[in-house]
């Protein structure tokens, strides 16, 4: 009786582990297209040149909520009208883990602005749908100019790099860093700008620096070639 009650609680999502009802997750996922517009929060004018990444992170582990990899990673840049678009994809077989309810994650970055992390709202209901949708599709997204101190901007830059680091470093064998060329180059330019402004370079654990400093590791681990050669125009 106790065992049956535990199984029921698992499948209702009332307990963190999802092992008992893992068969409810689809064997493959697809995603609908995402199109949105980015504007300056003050001027209400469209923002061109905003780097946007989208990733669908797989979760698993003993408690069912530990990142175990990425199912898909995409990148784009807003056009002159502030518009960005990610095409639909799938079906794509999930190698391990599963998607929950907040995917995809969107990261938006433009130098001089506060970066934004956007995702679907997390709820108590587990999303077992095989077709994934972003609540930000069709929306207008505001970016605010950063008006804080240099230290505060540095801290925010670190947070963005931390979020990107999970995509770049967590699955080196998947070579996701190759899917983020505009992002890596934008972070490299911004890191060099911050160093020129007097920020201690040793405090900036950035994704571009990580790739360059660990070129041998990424080359051997992932079998995707050398980041140094791939990003031949970025500086250490």
């Amino acid at each position: 009786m106790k065992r049956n009650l535990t199984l029921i609680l698992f499948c209702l999502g009332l307990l963190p582990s999802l092992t008992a009802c893992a068969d409810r997750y689809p064997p493959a996922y697809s995603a609908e297209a995402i199109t949105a517009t980015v504007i300056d929060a003050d001027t209400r004018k469209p923002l061109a040149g905003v780097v946007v990444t989208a990733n669908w992170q797989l979760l698993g582990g003993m408690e069912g909520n530990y990142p175990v990899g990425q199912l898909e990673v995409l990148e784009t840049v807003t056009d002159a009208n502030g518009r960005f678009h990610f095409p639909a994809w799938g079906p794509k077989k999930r190698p391990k883990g599963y998607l929950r309810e907040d995917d995809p994650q969107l990261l938006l970055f433009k130098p001089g602005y506060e970066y934004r992390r956007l995702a679907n709202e997390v709820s108590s209901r587990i999303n077992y749908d095989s077709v994934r949708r972003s609540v930000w599709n069709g929306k207008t997204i505001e970016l605010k100019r950063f008006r804080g101190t240099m230290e505060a901007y540095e801290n925010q830059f670190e947070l963005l790099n931390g979020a990107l680091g999970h995509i770049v470093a967590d699955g080196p064998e998947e070579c996701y860093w190759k899917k983020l060329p505009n992002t890596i180059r934008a972070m490299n330019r911004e890191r060099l700008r911050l160093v020129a402004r007097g920020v201690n370079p040793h405090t900036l654990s950035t994704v571009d620096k990580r790739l360059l400093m660990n070129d041998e590791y990424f080359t051997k681990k992932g079998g995707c070639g050398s980041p140094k050669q791939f990003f031949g125009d970025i500086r250490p």
Side-chain angles (χ1 to χ4, degrees), residues 39-100:
I39 64 172
D40 184 294
D42 296 323
T43 67
R44 315 299 297 175
K45 293 182 178 180
L47 280 178
V50 180
V51 182
V52 187
T53 67
N55 68 296
W56 287 258
Q57 182 168 264
L58 293 163
L59 300 177
M62 291 296 293
E63 295 184 356
N65 57 4
Y66 184 80
V68 294
Q70 308 292 330
L71 184 60
E72 183 60 275
V73 176
L74 300 174
E75 177 201 68
T76 191
V77 181
T78 57
D79 62 17
N81 297 314
R83 180 179 177 274
F84 71 85
H85 174 76
F86 291 114
W89 57 263
K92 188 172 184 178
K93 184 178 179 180
R94 58 182 179 93
K96 55 185 176 181
Y98 39 80
L99 299 176
R100 293 296 292 274

Short mmCIF file of all heavy atoms in Angstrom, two decimals, residues 39-100:
data_model
loop_
_atom_site.label_atom_id
_atom_site.label_comp_id
_atom_site.label_asym_id
_atom_site.label_seq_id
_atom_site.Cartn_x
_atom_site.Cartn_y
_atom_site.Cartn_z
N ILE A 39 13.03 45.92 -28.07
CA ILE A 39 13.04 47.39 -28.14
C ILE A 39 13.78 47.98 -26.94
O ILE A 39 13.96 47.32 -25.91
CB ILE A 39 11.61 47.97 -28.19
CG1 ILE A 39 10.86 47.64 -26.88
CG2 ILE A 39 10.86 47.46 -29.40
CD1 ILE A 39 9.51 48.35 -26.76
N ASP A 40 14.21 49.23 -27.10
CA ASP A 40 14.79 50.00 -25.99
C ASP A 40 13.65 50.37 -25.05
O ASP A 40 12.64 50.95 -25.48
CB ASP A 40 15.49 51.24 -26.53
CG ASP A 40 16.19 52.05 -25.44
OD1 ASP A 40 15.48 52.61 -24.57
OD2 ASP A 40 17.42 52.15 -25.48
N ALA A 41 13.81 50.09 -23.77
CA ALA A 41 12.73 50.33 -22.80
C ALA A 41 12.39 51.81 -22.66
O ALA A 41 11.25 52.15 -22.32
CB ALA A 41 13.12 49.76 -21.44
N ASP A 42 13.34 52.70 -22.92
CA ASP A 42 13.10 54.13 -22.77
C ASP A 42 12.57 54.77 -24.05
O ASP A 42 11.56 55.47 -24.05
CB ASP A 42 14.39 54.84 -22.34
CG ASP A 42 14.86 54.40 -20.96
OD1 ASP A 42 14.00 54.17 -20.09
OD2 ASP A 42 16.08 54.28 -20.77
N THR A 43 13.25 54.53 -25.15
CA THR A 43 12.88 55.17 -26.41
C THR A 43 11.78 54.45 -27.15
O THR A 43 11.15 55.01 -28.04
CB THR A 43 14.11 55.28 -27.33
OG1 THR A 43 14.51 53.96 -27.74
CG2 THR A 43 15.27 55.95 -26.62
N ARG A 44 11.55 53.18 -26.81
CA ARG A 44 10.57 52.32 -27.48
C ARG A 44 10.95 52.04 -28.92
O ARG A 44 10.13 51.56 -29.71
CB ARG A 44 9.15 52.93 -27.43
CG ARG A 44 8.74 53.50 -26.10
CD ARG A 44 8.73 52.45 -25.03
NE ARG A 44 7.77 51.37 -25.28
CZ ARG A 44 7.64 50.29 -24.52
NH1 ARG A 44 8.45 50.10 -23.48
NH2 ARG A 44 6.74 49.37 -24.81
N LYS A 45 12.19 52.30 -29.28
CA LYS A 45 12.66 52.03 -30.63
C LYS A 45 13.26 50.63 -30.71
O LYS A 45 13.79 50.12 -29.72
CB LYS A 45 13.70 53.07 -31.05
CG LYS A 45 13.13 54.48 -31.22
CD LYS A 45 14.21 55.45 -31.69
CE LYS A 45 13.64 56.85 -31.89
NZ LYS A 45 14.69 57.81 -32.36
N PRO A 46 13.19 50.01 -31.88
CA PRO A 46 13.74 48.66 -32.02
C PRO A 46 15.25 48.65 -31.81
O PRO A 46 15.95 49.61 -32.16
CB PRO A 46 13.37 48.27 -33.45
CG PRO A 46 13.12 49.56 -34.16
CD PRO A 46 12.57 50.49 -33.14
N LEU A 47 15.74 47.55 -31.26
CA LEU A 47 17.17 47.38 -30.99
C LEU A 47 17.75 46.36 -31.95
O LEU A 47 17.38 45.18 -31.91
CB LEU A 47 17.41 46.93 -29.54
CG LEU A 47 17.37 48.00 -28.45
CD1 LEU A 47 17.57 47.36 -27.08
CD2 LEU A 47 18.44 49.04 -28.69
N ALA A 48 18.67 46.82 -32.79
CA ALA A 48 19.38 45.91 -33.68
C ALA A 48 20.64 45.40 -32.98
O ALA A 48 21.16 46.03 -32.05
CB ALA A 48 19.75 46.63 -34.97
N GLY A 49 21.12 44.26 -33.41
CA GLY A 49 22.39 43.74 -32.90
C GLY A 49 22.33 43.10 -31.53
O GLY A 49 23.36 42.91 -30.88
N VAL A 50 21.14 42.75 -31.06
CA VAL A 50 21.01 42.03 -29.80
C VAL A 50 21.27 40.55 -30.06
O VAL A 50 20.62 39.95 -30.92
CB VAL A 50 19.62 42.22 -29.16
CG1 VAL A 50 19.51 41.45 -27.85
CG2 VAL A 50 19.31 43.69 -28.95
N VAL A 51 22.22 39.97 -29.35
CA VAL A 51 22.51 38.55 -29.51
C VAL A 51 21.51 37.76 -28.66
O VAL A 51 21.35 38.04 -27.46
CB VAL A 51 23.95 38.21 -29.09
CG1 VAL A 51 24.23 36.73 -29.32
CG2 VAL A 51 24.95 39.05 -29.88
N VAL A 52 20.85 36.80 -29.27
CA VAL A 52 19.83 36.02 -28.57
C VAL A 52 20.17 34.54 -28.70
O VAL A 52 20.41 34.04 -29.81
CB VAL A 52 18.43 36.27 -29.16
CG1 VAL A 52 17.37 35.58 -28.29
CG2 VAL A 52 18.14 37.76 -29.29
N THR A 53 20.21 33.85 -27.58
CA THR A 53 20.39 32.40 -27.59
C THR A 53 19.13 31.73 -27.05
O THR A 53 18.41 32.31 -26.22
CB THR A 53 21.60 31.95 -26.75
OG1 THR A 53 21.33 32.23 -25.36
CG2 THR A 53 22.86 32.68 -27.17
N ALA A 54 18.87 30.55 -27.53
CA ALA A 54 17.75 29.73 -27.03
C ALA A 54 18.28 28.33 -26.77
O ALA A 54 19.00 27.78 -27.61
CB ALA A 54 16.62 29.70 -28.04
N ASN A 55 17.95 27.79 -25.62
CA ASN A 55 18.38 26.41 -25.33
C ASN A 55 17.29 25.66 -24.59
O ASN A 55 16.55 26.22 -23.78
CB ASN A 55 19.69 26.39 -24.53
CG ASN A 55 19.55 26.92 -23.11
OD1 ASN A 55 19.23 28.09 -22.92
ND2 ASN A 55 19.77 26.07 -22.12
N TRP A 56 17.20 24.39 -24.93
CA TRP A 56 16.23 23.47 -24.33
C TRP A 56 17.02 22.50 -23.48
O TRP A 56 17.61 21.53 -23.98
CB TRP A 56 15.44 22.75 -25.42
CG TRP A 56 14.44 23.62 -26.13
CD1 TRP A 56 13.08 23.64 -25.93
CD2 TRP A 56 14.69 24.57 -27.17
NE1 TRP A 56 12.48 24.54 -26.76
CE2 TRP A 56 13.45 25.14 -27.54
CE3 TRP A 56 15.85 25.02 -27.82
CZ2 TRP A 56 13.34 26.11 -28.52
CZ3 TRP A 56 15.74 25.99 -28.81
CH2 TRP A 56 14.50 26.51 -29.15
N GLN A 57 17.06 22.75 -22.17
CA GLN A 57 17.93 22.00 -21.27
C GLN A 57 17.25 20.75 -20.74
O GLN A 57 16.11 20.79 -20.27
CB GLN A 57 18.36 22.88 -20.10
CG GLN A 57 19.31 22.20 -19.13
CD GLN A 57 19.93 23.18 -18.17
OE1 GLN A 57 21.03 23.68 -18.37
NE2 GLN A 57 19.20 23.48 -17.11
N LEU A 58 17.97 19.63 -20.82
CA LEU A 58 17.47 18.37 -20.31
C LEU A 58 17.79 18.23 -18.83
O LEU A 58 18.89 18.60 -18.38
CB LEU A 58 18.10 17.21 -21.08
CG LEU A 58 17.71 17.09 -22.56
CD1 LEU A 58 18.69 16.20 -23.30
CD2 LEU A 58 16.30 16.56 -22.70
N LEU A 59 16.84 17.71 -18.09
CA LEU A 59 17.02 17.48 -16.66
C LEU A 59 16.92 16.00 -16.36
O LEU A 59 16.31 15.22 -17.10
CB LEU A 59 15.96 18.24 -15.87
CG LEU A 59 15.94 19.76 -16.04
CD1 LEU A 59 14.79 20.36 -15.23
CD2 LEU A 59 17.25 20.39 -15.62
N GLY A 60 17.54 15.60 -15.25
CA GLY A 60 17.50 14.21 -14.84
C GLY A 60 18.12 14.05 -13.47
O GLY A 60 17.96 14.91 -12.61
N GLY A 61 18.87 12.99 -13.27
CA GLY A 61 19.50 12.76 -11.98
C GLY A 61 18.55 12.14 -10.98
O GLY A 61 17.38 11.86 -11.27
N MET A 62 19.04 11.92 -9.78
CA MET A 62 18.27 11.22 -8.76
C MET A 62 17.00 11.97 -8.38
O MET A 62 15.97 11.37 -8.12
CB MET A 62 19.14 11.03 -7.51
CG MET A 62 20.29 10.05 -7.72
SD MET A 62 19.69 8.37 -8.07
CE MET A 62 18.95 7.97 -6.49
N GLU A 63 17.07 13.32 -8.33
CA GLU A 63 15.90 14.10 -7.93
C GLU A 63 15.11 14.61 -9.13
O GLU A 63 14.09 15.28 -8.96
CB GLU A 63 16.34 15.27 -7.04
CG GLU A 63 16.94 14.83 -5.71
CD GLU A 63 17.25 16.01 -4.82
OE1 GLU A 63 17.08 17.16 -5.27
OE2 GLU A 63 17.67 15.79 -3.67
N GLY A 64 15.59 14.35 -10.31
CA GLY A 64 14.84 14.72 -11.49
C GLY A 64 14.98 16.16 -11.93
O GLY A 64 14.30 16.58 -12.86
N ASN A 65 15.83 16.93 -11.27
CA ASN A 65 15.94 18.34 -11.63
C ASN A 65 17.40 18.79 -11.80
O ASN A 65 17.71 19.97 -11.64
CB ASN A 65 15.24 19.23 -10.59
CG ASN A 65 15.79 19.01 -9.19
OD1 ASN A 65 16.75 18.26 -9.00
ND2 ASN A 65 15.19 19.66 -8.21
N TYR A 66 18.28 17.85 -12.12
CA TYR A 66 19.69 18.19 -12.31
C TYR A 66 19.98 18.28 -13.80
O TYR A 66 19.60 17.39 -14.57
CB TYR A 66 20.57 17.11 -11.67
CG TYR A 66 22.05 17.44 -11.75
CD1 TYR A 66 22.62 18.32 -10.85
CD2 TYR A 66 22.85 16.86 -12.73
CE1 TYR A 66 23.97 18.63 -10.92
CE2 TYR A 66 24.20 17.16 -12.82
CZ TYR A 66 24.76 18.05 -11.90
OH TYR A 66 26.09 18.35 -11.99
N PRO A 67 20.64 19.37 -14.27
CA PRO A 67 20.95 19.50 -15.69
C PRO A 67 21.84 18.37 -16.18
O PRO A 67 22.88 18.09 -15.59
CB PRO A 67 21.69 20.85 -15.77
CG PRO A 67 21.26 21.61 -14.55
CD PRO A 67 21.06 20.56 -13.49
N VAL A 68 21.42 17.71 -17.25
CA VAL A 68 22.19 16.59 -17.79
C VAL A 68 22.58 16.82 -19.25
O VAL A 68 23.13 15.93 -19.90
CB VAL A 68 21.42 15.26 -17.66
CG1 VAL A 68 21.24 14.89 -16.20
CG2 VAL A 68 20.08 15.32 -18.38
N GLY A 69 22.29 18.00 -19.78
CA GLY A 69 22.67 18.30 -21.15
C GLY A 69 21.66 19.20 -21.84
O GLY A 69 20.71 19.68 -21.22
N GLN A 70 21.88 19.41 -23.13
CA GLN A 70 21.00 20.24 -23.93
C GLN A 70 20.39 19.39 -25.05
O GLN A 70 21.08 18.58 -25.66
CB GLN A 70 21.77 21.41 -24.55
CG GLN A 70 22.58 22.23 -23.57
CD GLN A 70 21.74 23.02 -22.59
OE1 GLN A 70 20.61 23.42 -22.92
NE2 GLN A 70 22.25 23.25 -21.40
N LEU A 71 19.11 19.59 -25.30
CA LEU A 71 18.48 18.91 -26.43
C LEU A 71 18.69 19.71 -27.71
O LEU A 71 18.91 19.15 -28.78
CB LEU A 71 16.99 18.72 -26.17
CG LEU A 71 16.23 17.94 -27.25
CD1 LEU A 71 16.81 16.54 -27.41
CD2 LEU A 71 14.75 17.86 -26.92
N GLU A 72 18.65 21.04 -27.60
CA GLU A 72 18.88 21.90 -28.75
C GLU A 72 19.41 23.24 -28.28
O GLU A 72 19.06 23.73 -27.20
CB GLU A 72 17.59 22.11 -29.54
CG GLU A 72 17.74 22.92 -30.81
CD GLU A 72 18.70 22.31 -31.81
OE1 GLU A 72 19.92 22.56 -31.66
OE2 GLU A 72 18.25 21.58 -32.71
N VAL A 73 20.30 23.84 -29.08
CA VAL A 73 20.86 25.15 -28.81
C VAL A 73 20.83 25.94 -30.11
O VAL A 73 21.31 25.47 -31.15
CB VAL A 73 22.32 25.06 -28.30
CG1 VAL A 73 22.91 26.46 -28.11
CG2 VAL A 73 22.38 24.29 -26.99
N LEU A 74 20.26 27.14 -30.07
CA LEU A 74 20.17 28.00 -31.25
C LEU A 74 20.64 29.41 -30.90
O LEU A 74 20.63 29.80 -29.72
CB LEU A 74 18.73 28.05 -31.77
CG LEU A 74 18.09 26.72 -32.20
CD1 LEU A 74 16.62 26.94 -32.53
CD2 LEU A 74 18.83 26.12 -33.38
N GLU A 75 21.01 30.15 -31.93
CA GLU A 75 21.49 31.51 -31.73
C GLU A 75 21.08 32.37 -32.92
O GLU A 75 21.00 31.89 -34.05
CB GLU A 75 23.02 31.52 -31.61
CG GLU A 75 23.61 32.93 -31.47
CD GLU A 75 25.08 32.98 -31.87
OE1 GLU A 75 25.37 32.81 -33.07
OE2 GLU A 75 25.92 33.20 -30.98
N THR A 76 20.81 33.64 -32.65
CA THR A 76 20.52 34.59 -33.72
C THR A 76 20.83 35.99 -33.22
O THR A 76 21.20 36.19 -32.06
CB THR A 76 19.05 34.47 -34.17
OG1 THR A 76 18.86 35.23 -35.37
CG2 THR A 76 18.10 34.98 -33.10
N VAL A 77 20.67 36.98 -34.12
CA VAL A 77 20.91 38.39 -33.79
C VAL A 77 19.74 39.20 -34.33
O VAL A 77 19.26 38.94 -35.45
CB VAL A 77 22.24 38.88 -34.42
CG1 VAL A 77 22.49 40.35 -34.06
CG2 VAL A 77 23.41 38.02 -33.96
N THR A 78 19.25 40.17 -33.56
CA THR A 78 18.13 40.98 -34.01
C THR A 78 18.51 41.82 -35.23
O THR A 78 19.64 42.30 -35.35
CB THR A 78 17.62 41.91 -32.90
OG1 THR A 78 18.68 42.76 -32.45
CG2 THR A 78 17.10 41.12 -31.72
N ASP A 79 17.54 41.99 -36.13
CA ASP A 79 17.78 42.77 -37.34
C ASP A 79 17.52 44.25 -37.09
O ASP A 79 17.34 44.68 -35.94
CB ASP A 79 16.92 42.24 -38.50
CG ASP A 79 15.42 42.34 -38.22
OD1 ASP A 79 15.01 43.10 -37.32
OD2 ASP A 79 14.65 41.65 -38.92
N ALA A 80 17.48 45.05 -38.15
CA ALA A 80 17.30 46.50 -38.03
C ALA A 80 15.97 46.86 -37.39
O ALA A 80 15.82 47.95 -36.82
CB ALA A 80 17.42 47.15 -39.41
N ASN A 81 15.00 45.96 -37.46
CA ASN A 81 13.70 46.21 -36.85
C ASN A 81 13.57 45.60 -35.46
O ASN A 81 12.47 45.55 -34.90
CB ASN A 81 12.60 45.64 -37.75
CG ASN A 81 12.56 46.32 -39.11
OD1 ASN A 81 12.60 47.55 -39.19
ND2 ASN A 81 12.49 45.53 -40.18
N GLY A 82 14.71 45.14 -34.91
CA GLY A 82 14.69 44.54 -33.58
C GLY A 82 14.10 43.16 -33.54
O GLY A 82 13.86 42.60 -32.48
N ARG A 83 13.89 42.56 -34.70
CA ARG A 83 13.20 41.27 -34.77
C ARG A 83 14.20 40.13 -34.74
O ARG A 83 15.26 40.19 -35.34
CB ARG A 83 12.39 41.20 -36.06
CG ARG A 83 11.62 39.91 -36.29
CD ARG A 83 10.86 40.02 -37.61
NE ARG A 83 10.14 38.79 -37.94
CZ ARG A 83 10.67 37.75 -38.58
NH1 ARG A 83 11.94 37.78 -38.94
NH2 ARG A 83 9.95 36.67 -38.84
N PHE A 84 13.84 39.06 -34.03
CA PHE A 84 14.62 37.83 -34.10
C PHE A 84 13.68 36.65 -34.33
O PHE A 84 12.48 36.71 -34.01
CB PHE A 84 15.49 37.61 -32.86
CG PHE A 84 14.75 37.27 -31.60
CD1 PHE A 84 14.40 35.96 -31.30
CD2 PHE A 84 14.42 38.25 -30.67
CE1 PHE A 84 13.73 35.62 -30.13
CE2 PHE A 84 13.76 37.94 -29.49
CZ PHE A 84 13.41 36.62 -29.21
N HIS A 85 14.25 35.58 -34.89
CA HIS A 85 13.44 34.43 -35.24
C HIS A 85 14.24 33.15 -35.05
O HIS A 85 15.39 33.06 -35.48
CB HIS A 85 12.98 34.52 -36.70
CG HIS A 85 12.26 33.29 -37.19
ND1 HIS A 85 10.96 33.00 -36.85
CD2 HIS A 85 12.69 32.26 -37.98
CE1 HIS A 85 10.60 31.87 -37.42
NE2 HIS A 85 11.62 31.38 -38.11
N PHE A 86 13.62 32.18 -34.40
CA PHE A 86 14.17 30.83 -34.31
C PHE A 86 13.21 29.90 -35.04
O PHE A 86 12.01 29.89 -34.75
CB PHE A 86 14.31 30.37 -32.85
CG PHE A 86 15.38 31.10 -32.08
CD1 PHE A 86 15.04 31.92 -31.01
CD2 PHE A 86 16.71 30.95 -32.42
CE1 PHE A 86 16.03 32.59 -30.29
CE2 PHE A 86 17.70 31.62 -31.70
CZ PHE A 86 17.36 32.43 -30.65
N PRO A 87 13.72 29.10 -35.97
CA PRO A 87 12.82 28.21 -36.70
C PRO A 87 12.35 27.04 -35.84
O PRO A 87 12.96 26.71 -34.82
CB PRO A 87 13.71 27.70 -37.85
CG PRO A 87 15.10 27.76 -37.29
CD PRO A 87 15.12 28.98 -36.41
N ALA A 88 11.26 26.45 -36.26
CA ALA A 88 10.79 25.23 -35.60
C ALA A 88 11.79 24.11 -35.83
O ALA A 88 12.54 24.12 -36.80
CB ALA A 88 9.42 24.84 -36.15
N TRP A 89 11.83 23.16 -34.92
CA TRP A 89 12.72 22.02 -35.09
C TRP A 89 12.06 20.76 -34.55
O TRP A 89 11.09 20.80 -33.81
CB TRP A 89 14.07 22.25 -34.40
CG TRP A 89 14.02 22.56 -32.93
CD1 TRP A 89 14.04 23.79 -32.35
CD2 TRP A 89 13.92 21.62 -31.84
NE1 TRP A 89 13.97 23.69 -30.99
CE2 TRP A 89 13.90 22.37 -30.64
CE3 TRP A 89 13.87 20.23 -31.77
CZ2 TRP A 89 13.81 21.77 -29.39
CZ3 TRP A 89 13.77 19.62 -30.51
CH2 TRP A 89 13.75 20.39 -29.35
N GLY A 90 12.62 19.62 -34.94
CA GLY A 90 12.15 18.34 -34.46
C GLY A 90 11.31 17.61 -35.50
O GLY A 90 11.07 18.12 -36.60
N PRO A 91 10.88 16.38 -35.12
CA PRO A 91 11.12 15.74 -33.82
C PRO A 91 12.57 15.31 -33.64
O PRO A 91 13.23 14.92 -34.59
CB PRO A 91 10.19 14.53 -33.84
CG PRO A 91 9.99 14.24 -35.28
CD PRO A 91 10.03 15.55 -36.00
N LYS A 92 13.03 15.43 -32.40
CA LYS A 92 14.40 15.10 -32.05
C LYS A 92 14.37 14.17 -30.84
O LYS A 92 13.80 14.49 -29.79
CB LYS A 92 15.19 16.37 -31.73
CG LYS A 92 16.66 16.15 -31.54
CD LYS A 92 17.40 17.49 -31.43
CE LYS A 92 18.90 17.27 -31.34
NZ LYS A 92 19.65 18.56 -31.28
N LYS A 93 14.98 13.01 -31.00
CA LYS A 93 15.00 12.02 -29.93
C LYS A 93 15.81 12.54 -28.74
O LYS A 93 16.89 13.10 -28.91
CB LYS A 93 15.60 10.71 -30.43
CG LYS A 93 15.58 9.58 -29.42
CD LYS A 93 16.14 8.30 -30.01
CE LYS A 93 16.12 7.17 -28.99
NZ LYS A 93 16.67 5.92 -29.55
N ARG A 94 15.27 12.35 -27.57
CA ARG A 94 16.00 12.78 -26.38
C ARG A 94 16.98 11.67 -25.97
O ARG A 94 16.57 10.52 -25.73
CB ARG A 94 15.06 13.11 -25.22
CG ARG A 94 14.14 12.00 -24.77
CD ARG A 94 13.22 12.48 -23.66
NE ARG A 94 12.31 11.44 -23.21
CZ ARG A 94 12.55 10.62 -22.19
NH1 ARG A 94 13.68 10.74 -21.51
NH2 ARG A 94 11.68 9.71 -21.83
N PRO A 95 18.27 11.96 -25.88
CA PRO A 95 19.25 10.93 -25.55
C PRO A 95 19.21 10.53 -24.08
O PRO A 95 19.51 9.41 -23.71
CB PRO A 95 20.58 11.59 -25.92
CG PRO A 95 20.32 13.06 -25.74
CD PRO A 95 18.89 13.26 -26.14
N LYS A 96 18.83 11.48 -23.23
CA LYS A 96 18.78 11.24 -21.79
C LYS A 96 17.98 12.37 -21.17
O LYS A 96 17.81 13.43 -21.75
CB LYS A 96 20.19 11.22 -21.19
CG LYS A 96 21.00 12.48 -21.49
CD LYS A 96 22.42 12.38 -20.98
CE LYS A 96 23.23 13.62 -21.40
NZ LYS A 96 24.63 13.55 -20.94
N GLY A 97 17.51 12.13 -19.97
CA GLY A 97 16.76 13.18 -19.29
C GLY A 97 15.46 13.52 -19.98
O GLY A 97 14.94 12.76 -20.80
N TYR A 98 14.94 14.70 -19.66
CA TYR A 98 13.65 15.12 -20.20
C TYR A 98 13.55 16.62 -20.03
O TYR A 98 14.31 17.26 -19.28
CB TYR A 98 12.50 14.43 -19.46
CG TYR A 98 12.75 14.30 -17.98
CD1 TYR A 98 12.55 15.37 -17.12
CD2 TYR A 98 13.22 13.10 -17.44
CE1 TYR A 98 12.81 15.25 -15.77
CE2 TYR A 98 13.49 12.98 -16.09
CZ TYR A 98 13.28 14.06 -15.26
OH TYR A 98 13.56 13.94 -13.93
N LEU A 99 12.61 17.23 -20.73
CA LEU A 99 12.31 18.65 -20.59
C LEU A 99 11.21 18.81 -19.55
O LEU A 99 10.31 17.99 -19.45
CB LEU A 99 11.87 19.24 -21.92
CG LEU A 99 12.88 19.16 -23.08
CD1 LEU A 99 12.25 19.71 -24.36
CD2 LEU A 99 14.15 19.93 -22.75
N ARG A 100 11.29 19.91 -18.79
CA ARG A 100 10.26 20.16 -17.77
C ARG A 100 9.28 21.20 -18.29
O ARG A 100 8.79 21.08 -19.41
CB ARG A 100 10.92 20.58 -16.46
CG ARG A 100 11.74 19.48 -15.81
CD ARG A 100 10.90 18.29 -15.37
NE ARG A 100 10.01 18.58 -14.29
CZ ARG A 100 10.34 18.53 -13.00
NH1 ARG A 100 11.56 18.18 -12.64
NH2 ARG A 100 9.45 18.79 -12.07
#
